[in-house]
Amino acid sequence: MITETDLKHLRRCVELAETALEKGDEPFGSVLVSASGEVLFEDHNHNGGGDSTQHPEFAIARWAANNMPPEERSKATVYTSGEHCPMCSAAHGKVGLGKIVYASSSEQLAGWMSELGAKPGPVYSLPIGEVIRDAQVEGPVLELAEQIRKLQIRSFERKQ
Ligand SMILES: [Zn+2]
């Protein structure tokens, strides 16, 4: 179940996604929250420079590995505007982070891109649960997914 607190963090992820788009990056944003509810780290996508591995979920996994003991990582929650891609799911799983709450799913993103006639990328779109063993996952959240769809369309149109 998505709580008001979850929504607050997810709205911040959408804001970060919008910031990314404004900076010339792809519209994705993510927030790492401790078990006690403290926001520990946040980031947005930095693909604009040409490095397609600069995803915020990956940055969070690295930050967590360098700054949190394993026990704390397992109890932390990662909020994100778009469901983790397989690369970020793997990073999340490998550093032992806890729950993931996403506003829009990879399946939704693939559907939006297909409607726009976009060519699929080189990496398969897989749900988090097909990459991380025993993943704890929540999402998508309808009201926010619509905002993200609009950001993704703007991002796609800019690349044309
Ligand atoms: Zn990713």
Side-chain angles (χ1 to χ4, degrees):
M1 200 191 79
I2 301 286
T3 65
E4 269 308 309
T5 305
D6 292 333
L7 277 175
K8 183 186 79 176
H9 294 306
L10 287 175
R11 286 192 194 106
R12 177 62 186 149
C13 294
V14 177
E15 272 177 22
L16 288 162
E18 193 153 16
T19 301
L21 186 64
E22 283 159 8
K23 289 185 171 179
D25 300 306
E26 290 180 348
F28 297 94
S30 313
V31 175
L32 174 64
V33 178
S34 74
S36 63
E38 188 192 350
V39 174
L40 299 172
F41 183 82
E42 59 176 36
D43 200 5
H44 61 70
N45 176 288
H46 295 277
N47 275 5
D51 179 354
S52 299
T53 69
Q54 295 290 340
H55 295 187
E57 302 92 336
F58 203 112
I60 282 177
R62 283 236 169 84
W63 187 92
N66 287 308
N67 293 282
M68 299 167 81
E71 173 75 7
E72 279 180 33
R73 279 180 239 155
S74 69
K75 291 177 181 162
T77 301
V78 174
Y79 292 90
T80 189
S81 63
E83 183 177 2
H84 287 43
C85 72
M87 171 184 76
C88 295
S89 291
H92 182 102
K94 280 183 177 288
V95 304
L97 278 164
K99 187 175 170 180
I100 294 172
V101 184
Y102 58 80
S104 63
S105 68
S106 297
E107 190 183 0
Q108 286 176 314
L109 179 63
W112 301 331
M113 288 301 117
S114 155
E115 280 170 26
L116 290 165
K119 220 175 95 195
V123 175
Y124 288 113
S125 171
L126 296 174
I128 293 163
E130 287 187 25
V131 181
I132 302 177
R133 221 182 294 284
D134 305 321
Q136 302 167 255
V137 178
E138 291 227 41
V141 179
L142 206 60
E143 60 180 285
L144 297 174
E146 180 53 25
Q147 291 178 45
I148 293 162
R149 187 178 73 87
K150 287 177 181 153
L151 293 176
Q152 291 294 344
I153 290 171
R154 276 169 56 196
S155 174
F156 174 79
E157 285 173 347
R158 188 172 60 189
K159 289 182 202 159
Q160 302 314 297

